[in-house]
């Protein structure tokens, strides 16, 4: 017997059961993802992380989950530098594409300047904005 349990506090073991089940299913269906974390960190003079990019590579793609540039470094091309470093590492891992999403208009323009092209839009996410999904082909430098 089974039941559905709706919660906003899943345990680590609950999430692991879902993750492990899906990972096993996908590996059997399309092969192993070879998923690896990837981060490019901005550190201050004291070595503290103050920003950067975080994501992962899998199935030949780089996914950028988070990109944050501190206010003091904005407008200096830092987002582009972060993406270039992440893309270079992704290429060294054998990746041929990259994708990212955003609902921030400034971030959207920054990603487009880096060669990312919109492939999807989700209107009103959040309300009054659109979430854009962008991709870029990667090639060895």
């Amino acid at each position: 017997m089974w039941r559905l349990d709706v919660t906003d506090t899943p345990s680590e073991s609950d999430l692991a059961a879902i993750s492990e089940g899906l990972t096993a299913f996908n590996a059997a269906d399309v092969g192993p993802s070879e998923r690896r974390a990837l981060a490019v960190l901005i550190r201050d003079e004291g070595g503290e992380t103050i920003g950067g990019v975080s994501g992962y590579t899998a199935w030949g793609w780089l996914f950028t989950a988070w990109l944050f540039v501190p206010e003091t470094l904005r407008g200096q091309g830092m987002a582009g530098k972060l993406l270039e470093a992440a893309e270079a590492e992704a290429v060294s891992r054998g990746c041929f594409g990259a994708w990212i999403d955003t609902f921030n208009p400034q971030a959207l323009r920054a990603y487009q300047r880096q060669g990312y092209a919109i492939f999807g839009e989700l209107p009103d996410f959040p309300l009054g904005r659109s979430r854009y999904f962008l991709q870029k082909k990667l090639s060895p430098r």
Side-chain angles (χ1 to χ4, degrees), residues 94-109:
C95 291
F96 53 83
W99 72 282
I100 193 168
D101 66 270
T102 188
F103 55 78
N104 180 285
Q106 292 89 354
L108 176 62
R109 288 189 297 275

Side-chain angles (χ1 to χ4, degrees), residues 71-116:
E71 186 76 34
T72 57
L73 297 176
R74 293 183 189 158
Q76 302 173 37
M78 184 59 74
K81 293 172 186 165
L82 290 167
L83 288 170
E84 286 174 8
E87 292 165 8
E89 175 60 21
V91 167
S92 77
R93 296 180 184 189
C95 291
F96 53 83
W99 72 282
I100 193 168
D101 66 270
T102 188
F103 55 78
N104 180 285
Q106 292 89 354
L108 176 62
R109 288 189 297 275
Y111 303 154
Q112 289 175 313
R113 280 193 301 270
Q114 287 304 120
Y116 286 76

Side-chain angles (χ1 to χ4, degrees), residues 49-62:
T49 301
I50 59 171
V53 62
S54 172
Y56 61 85
T57 56
W59 286 301
W61 283 82
L62 163 65

